[in-house]
Each structure stands twice: as C-alpha cells, then as structure tokens.
Amino acid sequence: MTVMDRSTTVLIFEAPVGSGLYRDALRLREDILRRPLGLTVSSEELADDTMRQHFCAVDCGAVVGTVSLRPLDETTLHLKQMAVVEPKRAARVGSRLVAHVERWGTSAGFRLMVAHARVGAEGFYLKHGYAQEGAAFFEQTIPHVRVTKRLK
Ligand SMILES: CC(C)(COP(=O)(O)OP(=O)(O)OC[C@H]1O[C@@H](n2cnc3c(N)ncnc32)[C@H](O)[C@@H]1OP(=O)(O)O)[C@@H](O)C(=O)NCCC(=O)NCCS
C-alpha cells in the first residue's frame, strides 16, 4: 500500500524580518498562538524577533506553518513559535519544520535545541526525540514544559 505524505507539496523557506513571508508568518502566529489566549504579539516579542531566525512552510503560495529560532548562547538554540494552520495539521508540516530547523542549527554549529512546549503539545516534541525536563511553568498564561534535544 502506498502511503501519501500530504506534506510533499509544502516547501520550507527562511522568512527574514520585514519580508512578506515574515508578515504572513506573524499573522499566523497571532491567529494560532496568541488570539485564542486573548493575547496579541507584544512589542517586546516584535523587538525580540529581530534577534531570531524565522522559517515558514509554504503550500501553493500560502504560509501554512511557522517556527523561529533564538540563539541563547554559542551552543544553544531556543525553538519558538511553532504553529501549523488547522487544515494542514497531522500532515507532517510541523515535522518538516522541526527537521529543517534542526538541520539549520546543526550546520550553524549549535549543539542543543530547547523549546517551551505547551502542555498538551509536548507529545509532538517527544515524538521528535526531545526529552522533557523539570516541572511545568506558566508562560503566556498557560502551562508549558521545557523540552531539549542534542543536535547531531
Ligand atoms: C503542534 C503542531 C505544531 C504539530 O504540527 P503538525 O504538522 O500537526 O504535526 P505532525 O503532523 O508533523 O505530527 C508529527 C507527530 O506528532 C504527533 N503530534 C502532533 N501534534 C501533537 C500533539 N499536540 N500532542 C501529541 N502528539 C502530537 C502526531 O500525531 C505525529 O505522530 P506520528 O509520528 O506518530 O504520526 C500543530 O498541531 C499546531 O500548530 N498546534 C497548535 C499550536 C501549538 O500548540 N503549537 C505548539 C506550541 S509549543
């Protein structure tokens, strides 16, 4: 039996701050990660964006997923703002984004990826070889857990 990978038409691009892709990814972040919590992307977050590397998944010209990386030090990257639009979930778009940024981090010389996973979404990271560390904590008004993965 042939299993169709529904993410095959999706391409991953870097989305530099100020680009059209970045603006679309920001809108997606706002819609998926902030508005349902009654929040908005803050001015502090926008300022922090200038220190991050942004990536997006594009399907037929539309941004359908996004993720950002923030260097914490010379060896560690913080994976942030992982989101996929609802109609494209469970189609491995998130997996493609994670694999892409891990390769990006490795080739840039980073050794460790850290993420704050929303409680309920941590299973996604565990499936990708991340380990949960410590107790849950609150961020953006909801519980999160820290997950980490050594980059090869
Ligand atoms: C979490 C999210 C990014 C996953 O993206 P996705 O494209 O739907 O995930 P994939 O299709 O690549 O899933 C890969 C695997 O992770 C699993 N998975 C996906 N979301 C999961 C979740 N919330 N909890 C547990 N496992 C999950 C899938 O079942 C799949 O497992 P399999 O390999 O056994 O088939 C997406 O559901 C999303 O945007 N959710 C809302 C925002 C959010 O919670 N972001 C994370 C913030 S930390």
Side-chain angles (χ1 to χ4, degrees):
M1 187 180 74
T2 307
V3 178
M4 178 80 168
D5 179 348
R6 288 185 288 136
S7 75
T8 46
T9 60
V10 172
L11 298 172
I12 312 293
F13 294 99
E14 287 200 34
V17 171
S19 67
L21 285 178
Y22 168 78
R23 280 194 292 279
D24 288 354
L26 191 57
R27 205 170 301 125
L28 192 153
R29 276 162 57 184
E30 177 96 21
D31 288 348
I32 298 174
L33 297 173
R34 294 290 173 269
R35 204 168 297 146
L37 302 178
L39 303 174
T40 184
V41 175
S42 66
S43 50
E44 291 81 10
E45 196 174 327
L46 288 176
D48 197 63
D49 269 9
T50 61
M51 288 174 276
R52 302 182 193 172
Q53 208 78 27
H54 305 276
F55 301 84
C56 60
V58 176
D59 188 25
C60 299
V63 171
V64 296
T66 185
V67 66
S68 302
L69 295 177
R70 164 83 143 100
L72 296 181
D73 57 39
E74 284 176 5
T75 58
T76 309
L77 279 173
H78 191 168
L79 183 159
K80 303 178 81 120
Q81 313 299 332
M82 165 65 73
V84 173
V85 295
E86 191 126 28
K88 288 287 171 186
R89 288 193 197 149
R92 312 214 77 79
V93 174
S95 298
R96 294 269 306 278
L97 282 165
V98 168
H100 188 91
V101 297
E102 288 177 358
R103 278 195 302 274
W104 187 96
T106 301
S107 60
F110 291 92
R111 294 279 161 266
L112 185 71
M113 194 71 89
V114 173
H116 294 174
R118 291 176 173 208
V119 168
E122 72 273 36
F124 170 74
Y125 295 95
L126 301 183
K127 288 244 158 126
H128 291 89
Y130 288 73
Q132 189 176 324
E133 289 178 359
F137 55 91
F138 276 82
E139 202 171 82
Q140 306 292 346
T141 74
I142 54 170
H144 285 70
V145 289
R146 178 182 153 100
V147 293
T148 67
K149 181 178 178 178
R150 297 233 153 261
L151 297 175
K152 297 195 182 83

